[in-house]
Amino acid sequence: MTDKKTDKETIPAKGKVGVYICYCGGNISDHVEVEKVRESMEKIPGVEVARTDMFMCSDPGQEMIMQDLKSGTVDRVVVASCAPSLHETTFRSAISRAGANPYIYEHANIREQVSWVHHGDQATDKAIRLVAAATAKAEGLKPLEPIRMEARQHVTVIGGGIAGLRTAKDLADCGVAVALIEKSPFLGGQIAQLERLAPTGDPAADIVTELAGEVLGDPGITVHTCSLVETFNGYVGNFTLGVKKRPPDTDCEKLSSLNPSGRTPGEFIPFKGFYPESVAARAEELSIETGVVVLATGFKSYTPRRGEYGYAEFPEVITLPELIRIMAENKTTDNCLEINGRQVRSMAMIHCVGSRQIPGIHPEDESGNFNEYCSRTCCSATLDTAGTIRQSYPGTRIFELYRDIRTYGRGQEELYEQAAKNKVVFLRFEADESPEVIRSNDHDDFPLRVKVKDVLTFGEEVEVPVDLVVLATGMEPNNVSELVDMMKLPVGPDRFLLEVHPKLRPVELPVGGILLAGTCQAPMDVGEACSAAAAAAVKAAVLLGRGYVELDPFVAEVDLEKCRGTGACVEACLNEGALNLVEMEVDGEMVQRAQVTSALCWGCGACVAVCSENAIDINGWTLKQYEAMVDIIVADEATA
Amino acid sequence: MALVNPNFAEEMERFGADAALECFNCGTCAAICPLIYEHFPRKMIRYLQLGAKDRIMENASELWRCLHCGLCTQTCPREADPGEIILGLKRFAVANWRRS
Ligand SMILES: Cc1cc2nc3c(=O)[nH]c(=O)nc-3n(C[C@H](O)[C@H](O)[C@H](O)COP(=O)(O)OP(=O)(O)OC[C@H]3O[C@@H](n4cnc5c(N)ncnc54)[C@H](O)[C@@H]3O)c2cc1C
Ligand code: SF4
Ligand code: SF4
Ligand code: SF4
Ligand code: SF4
């Protein structure tokens, strides 16, 4: 003990480090001897105090840290607790509240990286080494200032479906200028393919017309249809998008052909969408300077494989969106629904087509993907359509074959009850015993039969004679791989874009200044897509509201005393523009020296690795700090 | 294999069983029924929903086990009136007895 004390005097401490070790209510302390970790830390030179708490993130825990800072006992802080993604910001802000610089902070993860994966002495030993390393690093921390950049008061929304329209309008209402980029000639997205919106029965056309009208009428919003983002540069607050507007390949002629009534821009065209502007005659390129980007690129309907439930093999098998369209375009007052010239006396609707697929049971698609998720809207849409048919065409009997009925939201369970009142008959199948659609070989003049082991009939095999089979196809994310590559966005295993945190930050992406709205993130109905869109609008407004954005200062810094201007770092730099050689005067002589553009620097360290002079370093992660960490990890006596 | 008859449930309305398609197969009636017999009465109601006439006639004698205590009708969450459905099925069975 006593000679440790002499150590402390002979090795001058760069900072007075306080180490705060958390029990996490047993999560950590059940496997790590927290008090032993504390004792070891107390022996490390440079450590002024080491303390423990049941929950360091609690108010008393934070207060303890703040007290030590305020009293001047410590000027560097190490917290050893859960993953930094959970509470790093908590502790940084506690440090700020104590009046200190939040970057004098270092985090050691002894929960996810220790107590949850190791047990016994080894757990304690690893915890000691990790906390000691953090302590060694903390000694060399210096106060930093976040990089502050002016933010452009402008948002670009990509995708003109209901979510994109909602985001654009909400932002314009906040006084933020908006550019809306839509790849097709139409606004409204997928709901233009629908007639009635479950569960309320609102006409889809009215909803699109109302919102698209508001968007087009708003002077703060510039709409670009037939447009795609081709290039992407910059950082939060200051992005530059290269956008290409081009006449649609085939659509020009089709557009005029679907225009028999001489439809003009500003009209809703059924099953196309809202037609906001004449299609550009020739390609055009534009550059958009913007502060925040909101992705609202939506979904596409699942297309069944050939032969999946007889699709594309039997003309009597169609998808739900196909049915909706045919019904809308051939409204009659007959007793029976008529589809493709055939009276439908009996029809089957099969749920979960292309959704909730199970590896080993369902075949993968040509790219090896399974849609393991529930598409969430098809149950309600199917029940709603069944209800419409039963009421308008009482001569048409309906059988719904489902795995589960998932009418999860307000007003949706009623659709299920209503379907029974409308005399829809339900049959239930197990995932591994999907129904089979077969040609009828009987003389009952129904062309098809749906064969199923019906759970509701005690597993008996049942055959339903039908004139029509409708497949309740689900959602798949639109292919936005170009945007994903350009913007370096995370994609979930389900191929939808992946938010930072499903509960706490549901519309944010980890790339600063890029947000999510609607079904590009996950299956949602229109109400949910609009909620997400409104949330994204608020997040964008918050980001821009202060007029500037702050970026983490963990970027490269050149030591001009050492730099000799070889330029090796510039060549190694991974982000063009982040590092340049510039002319400057040193000792009365014009020389070339490296210069960092902080806002563009990723802090990756590629430059540090190549500099022979050790003249460039990353703030908060210097080579010296790494060395100190490695030294203490391998030095057994420090951690004994 | 049971072949579904899409029109049967409607035919049965004539026999007084007009709420059978409201049944969502929860099985509450079978749980409360004092007979405690092979999913009775739900099983018969299910055959009615599908129009599986053969199954109904094969099992018709079971219909006469019913005590008409009314417990099922009291507890059915969908107000499908299972007790009345059993009565209706009896009428149907009688009307079709000789022919089958
Ligand atoms: C069969 C079916 C029935 C449904 N029924 C109902 C219902 O009854 N009630 C209900 O509430 N919901 C229903 N839904 C869900 C509803 O369709 C969605 O909630 C809604 O369409 C989602 O809107 P969105 O804006 O997120 O996406 P989308 O409508 O898909 O809009 C996305 C837009 O982005 C554009 N885009 C895509 N990629 C790019 C790009 N790279 N650059 C520029 N633009 C791009 C697209 O062209 C499109 O206009 C149903 C869905 C299905 C499949
Ligand atoms: S909403 Fe219903 S039909 Fe659609 S995937 Fe989910 S369970 Fe299946
Ligand atoms: S840290 Fe990376 S991005 Fe920054 S200047 Fe060095 S090489 Fe370039
Ligand atoms: S209780 Fe009612 S709804 Fe449930 S199975 Fe019996 S008849 Fe059907
Ligand atoms: S009425 Fe008949 S079916 Fe219903 S509970 Fe009583 S005995 Fe059972």
Side-chain angles (χ1 to χ4, degrees), chain A residues 555-556 569 572-575 578-579 596 600-608 616 618:
Chain A
V555 295
C569 54
C573 179
L574 299 182
N575 195 23
L579 195 54
V596 180
L600 289 178
C601 172
W602 292 337
C604 64
C607 50
V608 180
I616 191 163
I618 306 293

Side-chain angles (χ1 to χ4, degrees), chain B residues 29 32-35 40-41 66-73 83 86:
Chain B
C29 51
I32 197 100
C33 175
L35 299 178
F40 191 83
C66 171
L67 311 166
H68 298 293
C69 65
L71 285 172
C72 53
T73 291
I86 296 300

Side-chain angles (χ1 to χ4, degrees), chain A residues 158-165 181-184 186-192 194 196-199 227-229 296-302 320-321 324 375 377-378 380-382 384 472-475 478-480 482-483 517-520 523-529:
Chain A
I158 305 180
I162 200 75
L165 293 170
I181 315 279
E182 166 58 48
K183 72 173 173 190
S184 79
F186 303 101
L187 298 178
Q190 288 290 337
I191 62 171
L194 305 173
R196 285 159 49 87
L197 294 181
S227 298
L228 281 175
V229 175
T297 51
F299 74 96
K300 64 177 191 301
S301 272
Y302 173 79
L320 179 61
I324 291 172
S375 290
T377 52
C378 15
S380 293
T382 305
D384 189 61
T473 44
M475 300 190 187
N478 261 324
N479 180 0
V480 286
E482 278 139 36
L483 295 176
T519 51
C520 56
M524 299 180 189
D525 76 356
V526 170
E528 292 165 330

Side-chain angles (χ1 to χ4, degrees), chain A residues 397 426 454 457 460-461 463, chain B residues 2 4 6-7 46-47 55:
Chain A
R397 312 252 171 223
F426 291 88
D454 178 28
T457 315
E460 274 186 53
E461 188 160 281
E463 284 188 19
Chain B
V4 169
N7 296 318
R46 183 62 184 163
Y47 288 143
R55 286 281 189 283

Side-chain angles (χ1 to χ4, degrees), chain A residues 530-541:
Chain A
C530 283
S531 299
V538 171
K539 279 286 169 195

Side-chain angles (χ1 to χ4, degrees), chain A residues 327-631:
Chain A
M327 278 170 56
E329 290 175 349
N330 306 283
K331 286 199 176 110
T332 67
T333 51
D334 298 349
N335 186 42
C336 263
L337 177 68
E338 196 186 298
I339 299 290
N340 299 337
R342 186 178 181 96
Q343 294 272 309
V344 180
R345 296 154 297 166
S346 163
M347 65 187 268
M349 303 180 92
I350 303 179
H351 286 232
C352 297
V353 179
S355 305
R356 304 178 66 201
Q357 293 174 328
I358 301 173
I361 291 180
H362 298 103
E364 55 195 28
D365 74 6
E366 63 277 6
S367 326
N369 295 316
F370 294 100
N371 301 337
E372 293 182 57
Y373 50 85
C374 164
S375 290
R376 298 179 79 252
T377 52
C378 15
C379 269
S380 293
T382 305
L383 289 165
D384 189 61
T385 308
T388 309
I389 295 175
R390 287 292 301 152
Q391 301 213 319
S392 315
Y393 306 102
T396 301
R397 312 252 171 223
I398 299 181
F399 297 85
E400 283 198 40
L401 292 85
Y402 69 95
R403 274 168 67 187
D404 297 288
I405 294 288
R406 295 188 167 175
T407 43
Y408 58 89
R410 178 200 275 165
Q412 300 202 34
E413 184 68 4
E414 284 85 333
L415 290 174
Y416 178 41
E417 266 173 52
Q418 201 54 45
K421 290 217 161 43
N422 282 324
K423 303 191 190 303
V424 172
V425 178
F426 291 88
L427 297 94
R428 183 175 191 184
F429 59 96
E430 299 282 5
D432 56 353
E433 289 182 315
S434 294
E436 255 181 277
V437 177
I438 50 174
R439 267 268 170 256
S440 178
N441 48 14
D442 253 2
H443 307 294
D444 55 11
D445 80 345
F446 285 99
L448 296 178
R449 281 196 183 181
V450 182
K451 203 162 103 176
V452 63
K453 261 198 183 158
D454 178 28
V455 176
L456 301 181
T457 315
F458 319 94
E460 274 186 53
E461 188 160 281
V462 165
E463 284 188 19
V464 189
V466 292
D467 293 305
L468 180 75
V469 173
V470 176
L471 307 180
T473 44
M475 300 190 187
E476 289 188 310
N478 261 324
N479 180 0
V480 286
S481 51
E482 278 139 36
L483 295 176
V484 165
D485 290 346
M486 262 192 290
M487 302 182 179
K488 311 208 162 43
L489 306 176
V491 174
D494 55 9
R495 305 177 328 279
F496 287 92
L497 296 173
L498 191 64
E499 67 285 336
V500 177
H501 190 290
K503 310 269 182 224
L504 296 173
R505 297 172 67 191
V507 298
E508 289 165 80
L509 285 160
V511 187
I514 305 187
L515 303 170
L516 283 169
T519 51
C520 56
Q521 179 182 18
M524 299 180 189
D525 76 356
V526 170
E528 292 165 330
C530 283
S531 299
V538 171
K539 279 286 169 195
V542 167
L543 272 173
L544 300 179
R546 280 181 300 189
Y548 59 84
V549 288
E550 284 188 340
L551 310 175
D552 268 339
F554 307 124
V555 295
E557 188 176 281
V558 178
D559 181 347
L560 286 175
E561 306 231 311
K562 291 187 188 161
C563 178
R564 290 195 298 127
T566 61
C569 54
V570 178
E571 265 175 52
C573 179
L574 299 182
N575 195 23
E576 211 185 303
L579 195 54
N580 292 297
L581 281 182
V582 295
E583 290 273 327
M584 59 177 78
E585 202 184 305
V586 174
D587 300 332
E589 232 183 290
M590 286 309 283
V591 289
Q592 297 235 309
R593 292 291 181 258
Q595 192 178 61
V596 180
T597 305
S598 304
L600 289 178
C601 172
W602 292 337
C604 64
C607 50
V608 180
V610 299
C611 181
S612 55
E613 308 301 311
N614 279 350
I616 191 163
D617 237 329
I618 306 293
N619 277 331
W621 287 100
T622 63
L623 276 182
K624 280 221 155 50
Q625 286 176 303
Y626 277 112
E627 282 163 13
M629 291 170 83
V630 173
D631 284 350

Side-chain angles (χ1 to χ4, degrees), chain B residues 23-98:
Chain B
C23 159
F24 64 170
N25 293 285
C26 65
T28 306
C29 51
I32 197 100
C33 175
L35 299 178
I36 319 180
Y37 176 74
E38 281 198 357
H39 302 287
F40 191 83
R42 174 169 93 81
K43 194 169 182 175
M44 300 304 287
I45 299 170
R46 183 62 184 163
Y47 288 143
L48 188 168
Q49 288 186 324
L50 296 179
K53 266 190 228 182
D54 294 350
R55 286 281 189 283
I56 293 170
M57 293 314 291
E58 279 160 34
N59 297 291
S61 56
E62 286 173 16
L63 295 165
W64 272 268
R65 291 170 175 260
C66 171
L67 311 166
H68 298 293
C69 65
L71 285 172
C72 53
T73 291
Q74 265 173 34
T75 48
C76 171
R78 272 288 179 97
E79 298 182 5
D81 209 348
E84 194 58 38
I85 296 172
I86 296 300
L87 268 175
L89 283 169
K90 278 184 174 176
R91 294 185 196 106
F92 171 79
V94 169
N96 288 271
W97 197 257
R98 268 196 199 92

